[in-house]
Amino acid sequence: MKLHPEISAELAEWIREQPLFFVASAPLAADGHVNLSPRGYDSLRILDAHSVAWLDLTGSGNETAAHLSENGRVTLMFCAFQGDPQILRLYGRGEVLLPGSTGWDALEPLFPKLSGARQIIRVQVDRVQTSCGFGIPFMSLQGERERLLNWAEKKGDAGLAEYRERKNAHSIDGLPAPLKAK
């Protein structure tokens, strides 16, 4: 394990090469569920040496938003599936930026237009850590799955709003997840 003072230019370039990353968050309650979610598409941006953001798409749950609204804790993990082995973790405090908020308006232009975009998660990184990744297998990317984007496109804005109210308003532990900018 190696600690880094920041997301260096070298680490930033390596992050940009990864087609997939994982997001972990958890509620404060000891009996709450830890959430670990994969993220794909061209959805992550490195804002500076101590902050990142990703465009979060509508999905079957909204655990990360609920957890961040409660306590802010989040970890992002990247793994090298090609090239030299490496694992990179970014630990920090995240916030949920919803469409119409000042934060959203400032960051949204950095991302591609993806159907189903529901929020941007901005993370202030306070720990950058790499480890060997020797046990991570080699894998090849065949391409992005289009199913989520096609599903969101078919739902349309009204259908997505209804779906989020029904499926994304609370975490599996009952914590509220923000759906609209204040």
Side-chain angles (χ1 to χ4, degrees):
M1 177 188 68
K2 180 178 178 184
L3 292 178
H4 303 265
E6 63 186 18
I7 303 169
S8 66
E10 180 180 282
L11 288 175
E13 182 58 33
W14 183 85
I15 289 169
R16 288 184 197 98
E17 294 171 358
Q18 307 315 307
L20 169 72
F21 65 99
F22 300 88
V23 176
S25 62
L28 290 176
D31 62 347
H33 293 83
V34 175
N35 185 62
L36 178 62
S37 297
R39 297 286 188 255
Y41 301 114
D42 180 21
S43 62
L44 182 86
R45 295 294 179 269
I46 299 161
L47 304 177
D48 59 44
H50 296 282
S51 61
V52 300
W54 78 88
L55 182 65
D56 193 53
L57 306 179
T58 301
S60 58
N62 203 3
E63 301 302 300
T64 303
H67 295 160
L68 294 181
S69 295
E70 183 198 39
N71 63 61
R73 299 176 305 160
V74 66
T75 301
L76 283 68
M77 185 182 80
F78 304 82
C79 301
F81 295 108
Q82 298 181 3
D84 292 336
Q86 179 164 262
I87 296 171
L88 169 69
R89 290 180 181 88
L90 302 176
Y91 299 86
R93 311 281 304 166
E95 65 179 322
V96 180
L97 305 173
L98 296 163
S101 70
T102 302
W104 171 275
D105 293 341
L107 293 177
E108 189 266 338
L110 300 177
F111 298 97
K113 302 290 184 212
L114 296 175
S115 297
R118 68 177 165 192
Q119 57 208 10
I120 294 171
I121 308 294
R122 181 171 49 197
V123 178
Q124 187 65 34
V125 177
D126 57 36
R127 182 180 176 102
V128 178
Q129 175 186 309
T130 55
S131 56
C132 69
F134 292 168
I136 303 302
F138 285 108
M139 296 194 308
S140 298
L141 177 65
Q142 293 178 337
E144 297 284 357
R145 294 180 193 262
E146 299 296 322
R147 191 168 183 177
L148 179 63
L149 300 176
N150 293 338
W151 170 85
E153 185 72 29
K154 186 177 177 182
K155 281 251 181 232
D157 291 341
L160 285 169
E162 183 277 327
Y163 181 87
R164 290 178 191 135
E165 285 288 337
R166 196 167 33 88
K167 297 276 192 172
N168 292 173
H170 293 88
S171 74
I172 59 175
D173 295 313
L175 293 175
L179 297 178
K180 296 179 183 156
K182 295 178 183 178

